[in-house]
Each structure stands twice: as structure tokens, then as C-alpha cells.
């Protein structure tokens, strides 16, 4: 591993991928996707096959494409690209991250139990607890960054562990390798939400995770203009079940949004490197600020799971959370930023400030929210790719106006 000081510098993230046109750097594969060009016309940009259905040449004959909820050529290019970037065999693209997670849950049946990170995206909590719990699934919400808590919450009927690492919004790190070992011993599967780091900085399948899920809305699409979700995996025994689940759930990604996401992915490497480069000085600046109590950023060497993070990820990404000292500063800061935008979401080129208590984590009951650390003084910052100095000046100005 290179020296932490070099993070963000050239070769830190030079990981390779097995693309159909060779074993190449992930930087190269993000640009070209699964197919260098469209063979029929030579089109370099994947054509948008805006067709819901496809003509059959004859009875029991097919071109390979029948109906776009099941399969569409534009979406297929994106699905293959995601599989390559996540070092998997299979990729599936959904209309949203929630659509992807919902399709995964269709793999389970009444009576099954899942261990889930307590500090995770609020929409996932709502989906599991308000909907799937009604259909006979049960969930234990635990601090998965503490592996002994994961072990203690296992039951005979536990079929999966579902983790987010780094977690949203407290930036805790869960040991992917250890979770995989624990659940594989009992024949279950590990599902990892890899939204926060993107495949550019972390590949959970290489560490033993069975399924990787993404909100493609975030870093993969990257421009705050498209909703998308993904699953990637290499499990032959789950391949048909996942395809059928996607087809039956009906949350398949549209051809146009698949194209937008393919276009976003072309710049994934440069964006991720800039997000990462920008986040560090902002995290350091916040940590020194007199109105800030604590900063949660996985790139700090005194982050409790810093070495674990270094052992399973290639970077720290662009997400920072922080506690303000005074709750009264929250509305002022959110109102006074001018360049930085107060909005839900993350992972886009524009820097966004989010207030998890009422936005991303509004669905989580108070006691659980507080136990995870999401209090009324917590702010989440998704650092964009603007100039870091300008972002710091905007925050500085907003703090100053708050006084
Ligand atoms: C946003 C998000 C989701 C949900 O994805 P959508 O595309 O909004 O449906 C799931 N997990 C994480 C970590 C997220 O940030």
C-alpha cells in the first residue's frame, strides 16, 4: 500500500478490470464501457434503443431482445459495464437504488432473517421495516462496524447480512471480509451497498461479498440528473433468480437513463479522484473550525477504522459528516451557503449539504437514529468537483453570517 500522503495522487487507484477488449486499468474501462463501439454502425456512443418491444423473426425465434422490461440493448451495455467495474460476472440495472434493493429482497422468503447495518440509508430502513417485515421477513439492526455485534445477532434462520460501508451518514467502516466469512459459514449471503465509494474505490465482490448494490443515482451517474440502481455479482446459482426478480419487480432502468449513466461513468475516474482530493482539505478545515464539534471522515488517520478502510478500499471518497456545536447554527448554515446547495442526495459534481435528521433519515425512529449518531446537529456534505478553495470560502462565509 502506498503512503497515505500520496492518496489522490496518480497510481493509488490504478486497479485493473477484465474487459472484453483486454485486462486494462479501471480508468480505461470506465471510458469505453463493455463494448468499445457499436459494431453495426461504428457508433462510439452507445445508441439509445428507445423501443419497448422487439420484432420476432418467427415463432420461437428471437433476436435476443423481446421486451425492454426484461432486456434492452442500451441497458445491457450498462449492465455489462457495471459487472466489469465491480469485478463480477453479472450486472443488473434498475430505475433506482431502491428498485435494486427491493429486487434483492425477493430472493428471501417468509421466516428468513437478515442482519442489517443500523447506520444506513433511511429509505432502505423504511423498505425493510415498513414493507418487507409485513411479508414475514425479520431484520436485526446492528452496528456492523463491531463484528462481535454481527455475530451476536445471528439466528438459525439468518440468511443474509446487509451492510453499507462506509455507512450513511456516520462514515463507519464494516469489515467486508469478516462479514462474508461469518455468513458463508451458515450458507447465507453478504450484500454490500457500495454507493459511497463506487467501484472506483472499492470492490466488495473481491472481498467475499456475494451481491453488490448501488444507488447509481449517486457517483456512478454522477451529475445529479439521473436516478439509477445496480446489482453486480458472480453467483451463477443466483443469476436466474436475480434476472427474474428484476423482470418481475418492473423497476428496470429506461434506455435513456441507461445512456445518461453510461455517459456519467465515462468520467467516473476523474470525478472520483477530484471528489477525493477536494474532501481532504475541507475535512481538515472543518475539524479546526470553532463552530464544529466533530468531523466524520474516513481519511483521517485517527478515524477508528482507518486501517480497516485502507485494507479494503483504495480511497476515502468525497463524503464528510460533521456535528455542529450549536443546533441553532443548522438552519443558518443551510440557508447561508450560496455556492453549496442544500439538497438531498450525494455523489454528483455539485457540492450538496444535507440535513439527515429530516431528509435522508427522516424515516428512522428517533431512538434508533440517535443510537446510530444521527442527531439534530449532524450535517452531511457531499463534496463535489468544484474548486476546494471556493467551497471552503462558501462554508466560511456561511459560518460568519451565522454569527
Ligand atoms: C440514495 C441511496 C440509496 C437509494 O438509492 P435511490 O437511487 O435514491 O433509490 C441507497 N443506498 C444509499 C447508500 C444511498 O445513498
Amino acid at each position: 500500500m502506498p503512503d497515505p500522503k500520496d492518496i489522490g495522487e496518480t497510481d493509488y487507484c490504478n486497479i485493473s478490470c477484465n474487459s472484453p477488449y483486454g485486462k486494462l486499468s479501471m480508468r480505461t474501462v470506465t471510458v469505453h464501457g463493455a463494448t468499445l463501439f457499436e459494431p453495426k454502425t461504428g457508433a462510439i456512443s452507445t445508441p439509445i434503443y428507445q423501443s419497448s418491444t422487439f420484432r420476432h423473426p418467427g415463432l420461437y425465434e428471437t433476436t435476443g431482445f423481446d421486451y425492454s422490461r426484461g432486456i434492452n440493448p442500451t441497458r445491457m451495455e450498462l449492465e455489462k459495464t457495471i459487472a466489469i467495474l465491480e469485478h463480477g460476472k453479472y450486472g443488473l440495472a434498475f430505475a433506482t437504488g431502491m428498485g435494486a434493493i427491493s429486487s434483492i429482497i425477493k430472493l428471501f422468503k417468509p421466516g428468513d432473517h437478515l442482519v442489517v447495518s443500523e447506520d444506513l440509508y433511511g429509505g432502505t430502513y423504511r423498505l425493510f421495516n415498513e414493507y418487507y417485515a409485513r411479508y414475514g421477513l425479520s431484520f436485526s439492526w446492528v452496528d456492523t462496524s463491531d463484528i462481535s455485534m454481527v455475530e451476536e445477532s445471528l439466528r438459525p434462520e439468518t440468511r443474509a447480512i446487509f451492510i453499507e460501508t462506509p455507512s450513511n451518514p456516520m462514515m463507519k467502516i464494516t469489515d467486508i471480509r469478516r462479514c462474508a466469512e461469518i455468513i458463508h459459514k451458515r450458507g447465507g449471503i453478504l450484500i454490500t451497498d457500495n454507493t459511497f465509494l463506487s467501484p472506483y474505490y472499492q470492490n466488495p465482490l473481491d472481498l467475499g461479498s456475494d451481491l453488490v448494490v448501488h444507488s447509481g443515482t449517486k457517483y456512478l451517474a454522477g451529475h445529479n440528473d439521473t436516478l439509477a440502481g445496480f446489482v453486480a455479482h458472480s453467483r451463477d446459482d443466483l443469476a436466474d433468480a436475480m434476472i427474474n426478480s428484476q423482470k418481475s419487480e418492473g423497476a428496470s432502468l429506461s434506455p435513456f437513463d441507461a445512456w445518461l449513466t453510461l455517459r456519467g461513468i465515462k468520467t467516473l475516474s476523474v470525478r472520483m479522484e477530484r471528489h477525493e482530493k477536494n474532501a481532504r482539505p475541507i475535512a481538515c478545515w472543518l475539524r479546526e473550525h470553532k463552530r464544529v464539534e466533530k468531523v466524520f471522515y474516513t481519511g483521517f488517520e485517527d478515524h477508528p477504522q482507518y486501517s480497516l478502510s485502507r485494507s479494503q478500499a483504495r480511497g476515502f471518497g468525497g463524503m464528510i459528516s460533521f456535528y455542529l456545536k450549536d443546533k441553532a447554527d443548522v438552519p443558518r448554515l443551510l440557508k447561508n451557503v450560496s455556492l453549496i446547495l442544500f439538497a438531498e442526495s450525494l455523489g454528483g459534481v455539485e457540492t450538496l449539504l444535507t440535513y439527515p435528521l429530516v431528509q435522508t433519515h427522516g424515516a428512522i425512529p428517533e431512538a434508533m437514529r440517535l443510537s446510530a449518531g444521527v442527531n439534530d446537529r449532524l450535517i452531511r456534505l457531499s463534496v463535489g468537483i468544484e474548486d476546494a478553495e471556493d467551497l471552503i470560502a462558501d462554508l466560511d462565509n456561511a459560518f460568519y453570517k451565522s454569527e
Side-chain angles (χ1 to χ4, degrees), residues 95-101 120-124 162 164 166-168 193-196 213-218 226-229 345-346 360 380:
T96 62
M98 295 317 299
I101 294 170
L120 95 171
Y121 179 66
T124 308
F162 185 108
E164 247 182 54
S167 67
N168 182 7
D193 186 330
N194 199 27
T195 299
F196 265 37
V213 58
H214 280 280
S215 170
T217 312
K218 316 295 168 53
T226 312
L227 294 165
S345 203
L346 65 106
T360 51
R380 193 185 74 185

PDB file of all heavy atoms in Angstrom, residues 95-101 120-124 162 164 166-168 193-196 213-218 226-229 345-346 360 380, ligand 1:
ATOM      1  N   ALA A  95     -34.303   1.142 -12.076  1.00  0.00           N
ATOM      2  CA  ALA A  95     -34.725   2.540 -12.175  1.00  0.00           C
ATOM      3  C   ALA A  95     -34.163   3.389 -11.039  1.00  0.00           C
ATOM      4  O   ALA A  95     -33.936   4.584 -11.206  1.00  0.00           O
ATOM      5  CB  ALA A  95     -36.253   2.618 -12.188  1.00  0.00           C
ATOM      6  N   THR A  96     -33.961   2.766  -9.874  1.00  0.00           N
ATOM      7  CA  THR A  96     -33.419   3.473  -8.703  1.00  0.00           C
ATOM      8  C   THR A  96     -32.644   2.474  -7.846  1.00  0.00           C
ATOM      9  O   THR A  96     -32.774   1.260  -8.025  1.00  0.00           O
ATOM     10  CB  THR A  96     -34.547   4.039  -7.794  1.00  0.00           C
ATOM     11  OG1 THR A  96     -35.326   2.942  -7.313  1.00  0.00           O
ATOM     12  CG2 THR A  96     -35.455   5.016  -8.524  1.00  0.00           C
ATOM     13  N   GLY A  97     -31.895   3.016  -6.896  1.00  0.00           N
ATOM     14  CA  GLY A  97     -31.226   2.155  -5.928  1.00  0.00           C
ATOM     15  C   GLY A  97     -32.237   1.350  -5.120  1.00  0.00           C
ATOM     16  O   GLY A  97     -32.020   0.168  -4.832  1.00  0.00           O
ATOM     17  N   MET A  98     -33.350   1.972  -4.768  1.00  0.00           N
ATOM     18  CA  MET A  98     -34.378   1.262  -4.005  1.00  0.00           C
ATOM     19  C   MET A  98     -34.962   0.104  -4.818  1.00  0.00           C
ATOM     20  O   MET A  98     -35.281  -0.947  -4.267  1.00  0.00           O
ATOM     21  CB  MET A  98     -35.498   2.210  -3.561  1.00  0.00           C
ATOM     22  CG  MET A  98     -35.081   3.295  -2.573  1.00  0.00           C
ATOM     23  SD  MET A  98     -33.989   2.750  -1.259  1.00  0.00           S
ATOM     24  CE  MET A  98     -35.012   1.529  -0.475  1.00  0.00           C
ATOM     25  N   GLY A  99     -35.118   0.316  -6.127  1.00  0.00           N
ATOM     26  CA  GLY A  99     -35.597  -0.762  -7.005  1.00  0.00           C
ATOM     27  C   GLY A  99     -34.630  -1.941  -6.970  1.00  0.00           C
ATOM     28  O   GLY A  99     -35.046  -3.106  -6.941  1.00  0.00           O
ATOM     29  N   ALA A 100     -33.337  -1.641  -6.939  1.00  0.00           N
ATOM     30  CA  ALA A 100     -32.317  -2.692  -6.895  1.00  0.00           C
ATOM     31  C   ALA A 100     -32.406  -3.454  -5.567  1.00  0.00           C
ATOM     32  O   ALA A 100     -32.403  -4.689  -5.544  1.00  0.00           O
ATOM     33  CB  ALA A 100     -30.928  -2.072  -7.053  1.00  0.00           C
ATOM     34  N   ILE A 101     -32.514  -2.718  -4.464  1.00  0.00           N
ATOM     35  CA  ILE A 101     -32.564  -3.363  -3.143  1.00  0.00           C
ATOM     36  C   ILE A 101     -33.835  -4.195  -3.017  1.00  0.00           C
ATOM     37  O   ILE A 101     -33.826  -5.323  -2.532  1.00  0.00           O
ATOM     38  CB  ILE A 101     -32.450  -2.302  -2.027  1.00  0.00           C
ATOM     39  CG1 ILE A 101     -31.059  -1.656  -2.075  1.00  0.00           C
ATOM     40  CG2 ILE A 101     -32.708  -2.911  -0.646  1.00  0.00           C
ATOM     41  CD1 ILE A 101     -30.889  -0.423  -1.197  1.00  0.00           C
ATOM     42  N   LEU A 120     -27.645   3.321   8.148  1.00  0.00           N
ATOM     43  CA  LEU A 120     -27.736   3.172   6.700  1.00  0.00           C
ATOM     44  C   LEU A 120     -28.801   4.098   6.131  1.00  0.00           C
ATOM     45  O   LEU A 120     -29.514   4.772   6.866  1.00  0.00           O
ATOM     46  CB  LEU A 120     -27.974   1.702   6.298  1.00  0.00           C
ATOM     47  CG  LEU A 120     -29.374   1.156   6.029  1.00  0.00           C
ATOM     48  CD1 LEU A 120     -29.269  -0.226   5.439  1.00  0.00           C
ATOM     49  CD2 LEU A 120     -30.219   1.126   7.261  1.00  0.00           C
ATOM     50  N   TYR A 121     -28.849   4.097   4.817  1.00  0.00           N
ATOM     51  CA  TYR A 121     -29.770   4.969   4.110  1.00  0.00           C
ATOM     52  C   TYR A 121     -31.209   4.773   4.635  1.00  0.00           C
ATOM     53  O   TYR A 121     -31.694   3.640   4.709  1.00  0.00           O
ATOM     54  CB  TYR A 121     -29.685   4.660   2.612  1.00  0.00           C
ATOM     55  CG  TYR A 121     -30.610   5.498   1.789  1.00  0.00           C
ATOM     56  CD1 TYR A 121     -30.425   6.874   1.692  1.00  0.00           C
ATOM     57  CD2 TYR A 121     -31.683   4.930   1.125  1.00  0.00           C
ATOM     58  CE1 TYR A 121     -31.294   7.654   0.958  1.00  0.00           C
ATOM     59  CE2 TYR A 121     -32.546   5.708   0.380  1.00  0.00           C
ATOM     60  CZ  TYR A 121     -32.350   7.068   0.302  1.00  0.00           C
ATOM     61  OH  TYR A 121     -33.204   7.836  -0.416  1.00  0.00           O
ATOM     62  N   GLY A 122     -31.866   5.859   4.994  1.00  0.00           N
ATOM     63  CA  GLY A 122     -33.186   5.785   5.613  1.00  0.00           C
ATOM     64  C   GLY A 122     -34.225   5.105   4.742  1.00  0.00           C
ATOM     65  O   GLY A 122     -35.127   4.432   5.255  1.00  0.00           O
ATOM     66  N   GLY A 123     -34.118   5.249   3.438  1.00  0.00           N
ATOM     67  CA  GLY A 123     -35.072   4.614   2.525  1.00  0.00           C
ATOM     68  C   GLY A 123     -34.988   3.095   2.597  1.00  0.00           C
ATOM     69  O   GLY A 123     -35.992   2.391   2.468  1.00  0.00           O
ATOM     70  N   THR A 124     -33.783   2.583   2.829  1.00  0.00           N
ATOM     71  CA  THR A 124     -33.603   1.133   2.953  1.00  0.00           C
ATOM     72  C   THR A 124     -34.262   0.658   4.244  1.00  0.00           C
ATOM     73  O   THR A 124     -34.945  -0.370   4.270  1.00  0.00           O
ATOM     74  CB  THR A 124     -32.098   0.774   2.946  1.00  0.00           C
ATOM     75  OG1 THR A 124     -31.492   1.381   1.810  1.00  0.00           O
ATOM     76  CG2 THR A 124     -31.880  -0.716   2.903  1.00  0.00           C
ATOM     77  N   PHE A 162     -26.651  -7.509   5.472  1.00  0.00           N
ATOM     78  CA  PHE A 162     -26.746  -6.387   4.536  1.00  0.00           C
ATOM     79  C   PHE A 162     -25.994  -5.221   5.169  1.00  0.00           C
ATOM     80  O   PHE A 162     -26.370  -4.743   6.234  1.00  0.00           O
ATOM     81  CB  PHE A 162     -28.222  -6.025   4.314  1.00  0.00           C
ATOM     82  CG  PHE A 162     -28.445  -4.949   3.275  1.00  0.00           C
ATOM     83  CD1 PHE A 162     -28.987  -5.279   2.033  1.00  0.00           C
ATOM     84  CD2 PHE A 162     -28.119  -3.618   3.522  1.00  0.00           C
ATOM     85  CE1 PHE A 162     -29.202  -4.295   1.063  1.00  0.00           C
ATOM     86  CE2 PHE A 162     -28.324  -2.632   2.559  1.00  0.00           C
ATOM     87  CZ  PHE A 162     -28.875  -2.972   1.322  1.00  0.00           C
ATOM     88  N   GLU A 164     -23.731  -1.376   4.742  1.00  0.00           N
ATOM     89  CA  GLU A 164     -23.321  -0.197   3.995  1.00  0.00           C
ATOM     90  C   GLU A 164     -21.961   0.168   4.551  1.00  0.00           C
ATOM     91  O   GLU A 164     -21.822   0.367   5.754  1.00  0.00           O
ATOM     92  CB  GLU A 164     -24.277   0.960   4.313  1.00  0.00           C
ATOM     93  CG  GLU A 164     -25.126   1.398   3.151  1.00  0.00           C
ATOM     94  CD  GLU A 164     -26.020   2.575   3.516  1.00  0.00           C
ATOM     95  OE1 GLU A 164     -25.518   3.601   4.005  1.00  0.00           O
ATOM     96  OE2 GLU A 164     -27.227   2.444   3.306  1.00  0.00           O
ATOM     97  N   PRO A 166     -18.447   2.689   3.419  1.00  0.00           N
ATOM     98  CA  PRO A 166     -18.725   3.442   4.641  1.00  0.00           C
ATOM     99  C   PRO A 166     -20.233   3.656   4.816  1.00  0.00           C
ATOM    100  O   PRO A 166     -20.970   3.695   3.841  1.00  0.00           O
ATOM    101  CB  PRO A 166     -18.033   4.784   4.402  1.00  0.00           C
ATOM    102  CG  PRO A 166     -17.078   4.568   3.277  1.00  0.00           C
ATOM    103  CD  PRO A 166     -17.620   3.460   2.472  1.00  0.00           C
ATOM    104  N   SER A 167     -20.636   3.828   6.074  1.00  0.00           N
ATOM    105  CA  SER A 167     -22.059   3.930   6.354  1.00  0.00           C
ATOM    106  C   SER A 167     -22.555   5.360   6.174  1.00  0.00           C
ATOM    107  O   SER A 167     -21.791   6.318   6.200  1.00  0.00           O
ATOM    108  CB  SER A 167     -22.325   3.450   7.777  1.00  0.00           C
ATOM    109  OG  SER A 167     -21.727   4.342   8.695  1.00  0.00           O
ATOM    110  N   ASN A 168     -23.854   5.433   6.001  1.00  0.00           N
ATOM    111  CA  ASN A 168     -24.542   6.682   5.690  1.00  0.00           C
ATOM    112  C   ASN A 168     -25.406   7.077   6.884  1.00  0.00           C
ATOM    113  O   ASN A 168     -26.356   6.361   7.183  1.00  0.00           O
ATOM    114  CB  ASN A 168     -25.407   6.405   4.451  1.00  0.00           C
ATOM    115  CG  ASN A 168     -26.170   7.614   3.962  1.00  0.00           C
ATOM    116  OD1 ASN A 168     -25.990   8.717   4.443  1.00  0.00           O
ATOM    117  ND2 ASN A 168     -27.046   7.380   3.015  1.00  0.00           N
ATOM    118  N   ASP A 193     -23.886  -2.522   0.149  1.00  0.00           N
ATOM    119  CA  ASP A 193     -24.254  -1.285  -0.544  1.00  0.00           C
ATOM    120  C   ASP A 193     -22.958  -0.485  -0.714  1.00  0.00           C
ATOM    121  O   ASP A 193     -22.380   0.002   0.255  1.00  0.00           O
ATOM    122  CB  ASP A 193     -25.290  -0.515   0.292  1.00  0.00           C
ATOM    123  CG  ASP A 193     -25.823   0.717  -0.440  1.00  0.00           C
ATOM    124  OD1 ASP A 193     -25.074   1.301  -1.248  1.00  0.00           O
ATOM    125  OD2 ASP A 193     -26.987   1.105  -0.189  1.00  0.00           O
ATOM    126  N   ASN A 194     -22.515  -0.396  -1.961  1.00  0.00           N
ATOM    127  CA  ASN A 194     -21.207   0.212  -2.269  1.00  0.00           C
ATOM    128  C   ASN A 194     -21.349   1.630  -2.835  1.00  0.00           C
ATOM    129  O   ASN A 194     -20.455   2.134  -3.501  1.00  0.00           O
ATOM    130  CB  ASN A 194     -20.473  -0.693  -3.279  1.00  0.00           C
ATOM    131  CG  ASN A 194     -18.980  -0.455  -3.335  1.00  0.00           C
ATOM    132  OD1 ASN A 194     -18.370  -0.025  -2.360  1.00  0.00           O
ATOM    133  ND2 ASN A 194     -18.378  -0.715  -4.486  1.00  0.00           N
ATOM    134  N   THR A 195     -22.494   2.254  -2.556  1.00  0.00           N
ATOM    135  CA  THR A 195     -22.791   3.569  -3.133  1.00  0.00           C
ATOM    136  C   THR A 195     -21.739   4.620  -2.780  1.00  0.00           C
ATOM    137  O   THR A 195     -21.336   5.418  -3.627  1.00  0.00           O
ATOM    138  CB  THR A 195     -24.174   4.048  -2.620  1.00  0.00           C
ATOM    139  OG1 THR A 195     -25.157   3.105  -3.038  1.00  0.00           O
ATOM    140  CG2 THR A 195     -24.526   5.426  -3.151  1.00  0.00           C
ATOM    141  N   PHE A 196     -21.286   4.631  -1.519  1.00  0.00           N
ATOM    142  CA  PHE A 196     -20.439   5.737  -1.055  1.00  0.00           C
ATOM    143  C   PHE A 196     -19.051   5.780  -1.691  1.00  0.00           C
ATOM    144  O   PHE A 196     -18.466   6.845  -1.805  1.00  0.00           O
ATOM    145  CB  PHE A 196     -20.309   5.702   0.475  1.00  0.00           C
ATOM    146  CG  PHE A 196     -21.293   6.597   1.179  1.00  0.00           C
ATOM    147  CD1 PHE A 196     -22.580   6.737   0.697  1.00  0.00           C
ATOM    148  CD2 PHE A 196     -20.931   7.305   2.321  1.00  0.00           C
ATOM    149  CE1 PHE A 196     -23.492   7.566   1.332  1.00  0.00           C
ATOM    150  CE2 PHE A 196     -21.838   8.143   2.968  1.00  0.00           C
ATOM    151  CZ  PHE A 196     -23.117   8.275   2.474  1.00  0.00           C
ATOM    152  N   VAL A 213     -24.692  -3.747  -4.253  1.00  0.00           N
ATOM    153  CA  VAL A 213     -25.806  -2.919  -4.707  1.00  0.00           C
ATOM    154  C   VAL A 213     -25.345  -1.464  -4.716  1.00  0.00           C
ATOM    155  O   VAL A 213     -24.477  -1.063  -3.927  1.00  0.00           O
ATOM    156  CB  VAL A 213     -27.057  -3.161  -3.812  1.00  0.00           C
ATOM    157  CG1 VAL A 213     -26.772  -2.878  -2.364  1.00  0.00           C
ATOM    158  CG2 VAL A 213     -28.229  -2.340  -4.273  1.00  0.00           C
ATOM    159  N   HIS A 214     -25.901  -0.709  -5.665  1.00  0.00           N
ATOM    160  CA  HIS A 214     -25.567   0.711  -5.780  1.00  0.00           C
ATOM    161  C   HIS A 214     -26.814   1.541  -5.973  1.00  0.00           C
ATOM    162  O   HIS A 214     -27.701   1.133  -6.728  1.00  0.00           O
ATOM    163  CB  HIS A 214     -24.731   0.983  -7.037  1.00  0.00           C
ATOM    164  CG  HIS A 214     -23.301   0.651  -6.894  1.00  0.00           C
ATOM    165  ND1 HIS A 214     -22.407   1.473  -6.277  1.00  0.00           N
ATOM    166  CD2 HIS A 214     -22.600  -0.442  -7.282  1.00  0.00           C
ATOM    167  CE1 HIS A 214     -21.217   0.917  -6.292  1.00  0.00           C
ATOM    168  NE2 HIS A 214     -21.306  -0.250  -6.894  1.00  0.00           N
ATOM    169  N   SER A 215     -26.814   2.712  -5.373  1.00  0.00           N
ATOM    170  CA  SER A 215     -27.661   3.754  -5.903  1.00  0.00           C
ATOM    171  C   SER A 215     -26.823   4.395  -7.004  1.00  0.00           C
ATOM    172  O   SER A 215     -25.905   5.167  -6.726  1.00  0.00           O
ATOM    173  CB  SER A 215     -28.015   4.786  -4.835  1.00  0.00           C
ATOM    174  OG  SER A 215     -28.642   5.882  -5.481  1.00  0.00           O
ATOM    175  N   GLY A 216     -27.142   4.055  -8.248  1.00  0.00           N
ATOM    176  CA  GLY A 216     -26.397   4.607  -9.388  1.00  0.00           C
ATOM    177  C   GLY A 216     -26.669   6.087  -9.578  1.00  0.00           C
ATOM    178  O   GLY A 216     -25.969   6.788 -10.309  1.00  0.00           O
ATOM    179  N   THR A 217     -27.719   6.559  -8.881  1.00  0.00           N
ATOM    180  CA  THR A 217     -28.073   7.975  -8.854  1.00  0.00           C
ATOM    181  C   THR A 217     -26.903   8.831  -8.370  1.00  0.00           C
ATOM    182  O   THR A 217     -26.806  10.003  -8.724  1.00  0.00           O
ATOM    183  CB  THR A 217     -29.252   8.162  -7.861  1.00  0.00           C
ATOM    184  OG1 THR A 217     -30.256   7.187  -8.149  1.00  0.00           O
ATOM    185  CG2 THR A 217     -29.815   9.556  -7.909  1.00  0.00           C
ATOM    186  N   LYS A 218     -26.037   8.239  -7.563  1.00  0.00           N
ATOM    187  CA  LYS A 218     -25.003   8.999  -6.873  1.00  0.00           C
ATOM    188  C   LYS A 218     -23.730   9.067  -7.725  1.00  0.00           C
ATOM    189  O   LYS A 218     -23.763   9.663  -8.781  1.00  0.00           O
ATOM    190  CB  LYS A 218     -24.778   8.389  -5.483  1.00  0.00           C
ATOM    191  CG  LYS A 218     -26.091   8.033  -4.732  1.00  0.00           C
ATOM    192  CD  LYS A 218     -26.931   9.227  -4.390  1.00  0.00           C
ATOM    193  CE  LYS A 218     -28.345   8.904  -3.918  1.00  0.00           C
ATOM    194  NZ  LYS A 218     -28.464   7.952  -2.802  1.00  0.00           N
ATOM    195  N   THR A 226     -29.919  12.025 -12.901  1.00  0.00           N
ATOM    196  CA  THR A 226     -30.485  10.728 -13.287  1.00  0.00           C
ATOM    197  C   THR A 226     -30.666   9.845 -12.063  1.00  0.00           C
ATOM    198  O   THR A 226     -29.798   9.837 -11.193  1.00  0.00           O
ATOM    199  CB  THR A 226     -29.490   9.977 -14.228  1.00  0.00           C
ATOM    200  OG1 THR A 226     -29.066  10.873 -15.230  1.00  0.00           O
ATOM    201  CG2 THR A 226     -30.136   8.763 -14.850  1.00  0.00           C
ATOM    202  N   LEU A 227     -31.752   9.114 -12.018  1.00  0.00           N
ATOM    203  CA  LEU A 227     -31.930   8.093 -10.986  1.00  0.00           C
ATOM    204  C   LEU A 227     -31.552   6.741 -11.596  1.00  0.00           C
ATOM    205  O   LEU A 227     -31.905   6.466 -12.751  1.00  0.00           O
ATOM    206  CB  LEU A 227     -33.389   8.028 -10.525  1.00  0.00           C
ATOM    207  CG  LEU A 227     -33.941   9.256  -9.801  1.00  0.00           C
ATOM    208  CD1 LEU A 227     -35.466   9.182  -9.754  1.00  0.00           C
ATOM    209  CD2 LEU A 227     -33.392   9.354  -8.390  1.00  0.00           C
ATOM    210  N   ALA A 228     -30.843   5.917 -10.826  1.00  0.00           N
ATOM    211  CA  ALA A 228     -30.487   4.578 -11.306  1.00  0.00           C
ATOM    212  C   ALA A 228     -30.088   3.711 -10.123  1.00  0.00           C
ATOM    213  O   ALA A 228     -29.757   4.230  -9.048  1.00  0.00           O
ATOM    214  CB  ALA A 228     -29.324   4.649 -12.297  1.00  0.00           C
ATOM    215  N   GLY A 229     -30.145   2.398 -10.307  1.00  0.00           N
ATOM    216  CA  GLY A 229     -29.703   1.469  -9.268  1.00  0.00           C
ATOM    217  C   GLY A 229     -29.070   0.248  -9.918  1.00  0.00           C
ATOM    218  O   GLY A 229     -29.373  -0.070 -11.070  1.00  0.00           O
ATOM    219  N   SER A 345     -29.380  13.977  -1.484  1.00  0.00           N
ATOM    220  CA  SER A 345     -28.580  13.232  -2.468  1.00  0.00           C
ATOM    221  C   SER A 345     -27.087  13.499  -2.289  1.00  0.00           C
ATOM    222  O   SER A 345     -26.675  14.298  -1.421  1.00  0.00           O
ATOM    223  CB  SER A 345     -28.976  13.509  -3.910  1.00  0.00           C
ATOM    224  OG  SER A 345     -28.545  12.402  -4.709  1.00  0.00           O
ATOM    225  N   LEU A 346     -26.293  12.830  -3.085  1.00  0.00           N
ATOM    226  CA  LEU A 346     -24.839  12.873  -2.932  1.00  0.00           C
ATOM    227  C   LEU A 346     -24.202  12.334  -4.199  1.00  0.00           C
ATOM    228  O   LEU A 346     -24.876  11.791  -5.069  1.00  0.00           O
ATOM    229  CB  LEU A 346     -24.414  12.003  -1.731  1.00  0.00           C
ATOM    230  CG  LEU A 346     -24.674  10.499  -1.842  1.00  0.00           C
ATOM    231  CD1 LEU A 346     -23.397   9.718  -2.088  1.00  0.00           C
ATOM    232  CD2 LEU A 346     -25.348   9.966  -0.603  1.00  0.00           C
ATOM    233  N   THR A 360     -32.577  12.454   4.508  1.00  0.00           N
ATOM    234  CA  THR A 360     -32.314  11.045   4.195  1.00  0.00           C
ATOM    235  C   THR A 360     -32.730  10.075   5.303  1.00  0.00           C
ATOM    236  O   THR A 360     -32.980   8.911   5.042  1.00  0.00           O
ATOM    237  CB  THR A 360     -30.811  10.842   3.939  1.00  0.00           C
ATOM    238  OG1 THR A 360     -30.090  11.427   5.034  1.00  0.00           O
ATOM    239  CG2 THR A 360     -30.392  11.531   2.659  1.00  0.00           C
ATOM    240  N   ARG A 380     -24.468  16.580   6.672  1.00  0.00           N
ATOM    241  CA  ARG A 380     -23.687  15.741   5.747  1.00  0.00           C
ATOM    242  C   ARG A 380     -23.293  16.569   4.536  1.00  0.00           C
ATOM    243  O   ARG A 380     -24.119  17.321   4.012  1.00  0.00           O
ATOM    244  CB  ARG A 380     -24.528  14.529   5.318  1.00  0.00           C
ATOM    245  CG  ARG A 380     -23.713  13.449   4.631  1.00  0.00           C
ATOM    246  CD  ARG A 380     -24.596  12.338   4.129  1.00  0.00           C
ATOM    247  NE  ARG A 380     -25.340  12.765   2.951  1.00  0.00           N
ATOM    248  CZ  ARG A 380     -26.270  12.042   2.345  1.00  0.00           C
ATOM    249  NH1 ARG A 380     -26.587  10.848   2.820  1.00  0.00           N
ATOM    250  NH2 ARG A 380     -26.893  12.471   1.270  1.00  0.00           N
TER     251      ARG A 380
HETATM  252  C1  LIG B   1     -29.512   7.116  -2.264  1.00  0.00           C
HETATM  253  C2  LIG B   1     -29.135   5.833  -1.671  1.00  0.00           C
HETATM  254  C3  LIG B   1     -29.921   4.694  -1.846  1.00  0.00           C
HETATM  255  C4  LIG B   1     -31.222   4.732  -2.619  1.00  0.00           C
HETATM  256  O1  LIG B   1     -30.997   4.969  -3.972  1.00  0.00           O
HETATM  257  P1  LIG B   1     -32.056   5.720  -4.926  1.00  0.00           P
HETATM  258  O2  LIG B   1     -31.341   5.746  -6.234  1.00  0.00           O
HETATM  259  O3  LIG B   1     -32.315   7.063  -4.343  1.00  0.00           O
HETATM  260  O4  LIG B   1     -33.278   4.885  -4.942  1.00  0.00           O
HETATM  261  C5  LIG B   1     -29.472   3.507  -1.303  1.00  0.00           C
HETATM  262  N1  LIG B   1     -28.318   3.436  -0.599  1.00  0.00           N
HETATM  263  C6  LIG B   1     -27.539   4.516  -0.401  1.00  0.00           C
HETATM  264  C7  LIG B   1     -26.281   4.392   0.377  1.00  0.00           C
HETATM  265  C8  LIG B   1     -27.928   5.751  -0.927  1.00  0.00           C
HETATM  266  O5  LIG B   1     -27.165   6.823  -0.709  1.00  0.00           O
END
